[in-house]
Amino acid sequence: CFLAWMGLEINTMAIIPLMAQQHHPRATEAATKYFLTQATAAAMILFASTTNAWITGDWNIPQTSHPAATSLLTLALALKIGLAPMHFWLPEVLQGLNLTTGLILSTWQKLAPFILIYQIAPNTNPTILTSMGILSTLIGGWGGLNQTQLRKILAYSSIAHLGWMITILHFMPALTLLNLTIYIIMTSTMFLSLKSLSATKINSLAITWPKTPILTVMTMLSLLSLGGLPPLTGFMPKWLILQELTKQNLPILATIMAMSALLSLFFYLR
């Protein structure tokens, strides 16, 4: 557990210089906000693992068995990756970064905390995971509706996708990994396309069509795939997750998730 905490801290320290390399007040603000949230989450992780060791005598993360310790550890890791209701820092931080650093924050930085959540999920209360998942999908849908900044839209998309992954984590972990892989591929495509087009606002995408039609089409298809439009790849994990939730006798949960996906799709189509 101590080694995992140390790895997360090194991870945080390594990305902060990348965030602050632009000498711009917004970049400095993003780096400061990121550092404070990650430091808070790291302190919570240490506290949770110490509590578990105090009660059970075990420092191993997969063997974290005490309910208070597992709940606190899950909340700390949720804060690290930006799951609702601990998501407030993510759109603000992503908005202050350039597209390359934004890509690292949206993909690579999610892996370490997510693997830890994946390891402790069997011992975690499923209600906590499901509640955070539903809240994330709804907030990810609502939050992106009135945005014109592409980085903020991608941040809310990240929150919504994490919500889908967390909801199914307790029932079928393999689906979570599939969803994570597809999300990383799609988001990387999206960020790299936007970087090539030098686009940061929706209206700047509109004027790229005469210059690079093929790249613009690919960007649009990636956006629709992230939203989960049926014939595209991004629809597959959503479909499988809804199917699994229905099999687990959770039709109401599946319906709420599907409705929140429509919210996300609305702003992608726009």
Side-chain angles (χ1 to χ4, degrees), residues 110-183:
K110 298 258 191 291
L111 290 178
F114 210 91
I115 286 164
L116 294 175
I117 290 180
Y118 183 86
Q119 285 184 330
I120 62 166
N123 302 325
T124 310
N125 184 347
T127 315
I128 293 176
L129 293 176
T130 313
S131 306
M132 284 197 301
I134 294 175
L135 204 55
S136 297
T137 51
L138 289 170
I139 286 172
W142 282 117
L145 285 178
N146 60 349
Q147 298 297 337
T148 55
Q149 294 283 348
L150 288 166
R151 279 165 297 183
K152 274 199 175 172
I153 286 180
L154 287 166
Y156 282 111
S157 149
S158 165
I159 294 165
H161 276 269
L162 285 170
W164 281 86
M165 293 177 218
I166 287 291
T167 305
I168 202 65
L169 184 55
H170 196 83
F171 306 109
M172 202 171 182
L175 264 184
T176 299
L177 293 182
L178 171 72
N179 201 339
L180 183 63
T181 310
I182 289 174
Y183 165 74

Side-chain angles (χ1 to χ4, degrees), residues 32-62:
T32 311
K33 281 180 179 172
Y34 185 75
F35 174 72
L36 290 173
T37 48
Q38 298 299 306
T40 308
M44 284 169 71
I45 289 168
L46 261 188
F47 180 64
S49 52
T50 312
T51 306
N52 187 64
W54 186 281
I55 297 164
T56 63
D58 203 337
W59 279 99
N60 270 350
I61 281 183

Side-chain angles (χ1 to χ4, degrees), residues 12 15-21 24-38 92-93 96-97:
T12 304
I15 198 173
I16 283 171
L18 290 174
M19 288 180 165
Q21 67 182 346
H24 189 277
R26 192 167 251 180
T28 313
E29 184 191 347
T32 311
K33 281 180 179 172
Y34 185 75
F35 174 72
L36 290 173
T37 48
Q38 298 299 306
E92 301 298 323
V93 168
L97 305 178

Side-chain angles (χ1 to χ4, degrees), residues 168 170-172 242-251:
I168 202 65
H170 196 83
F171 306 109
M172 202 171 182
L242 290 175
Q243 191 180 355
E244 184 59 33
L245 286 173
T246 315
K247 280 183 191 168
Q248 297 283 347
N249 288 328
L250 296 166

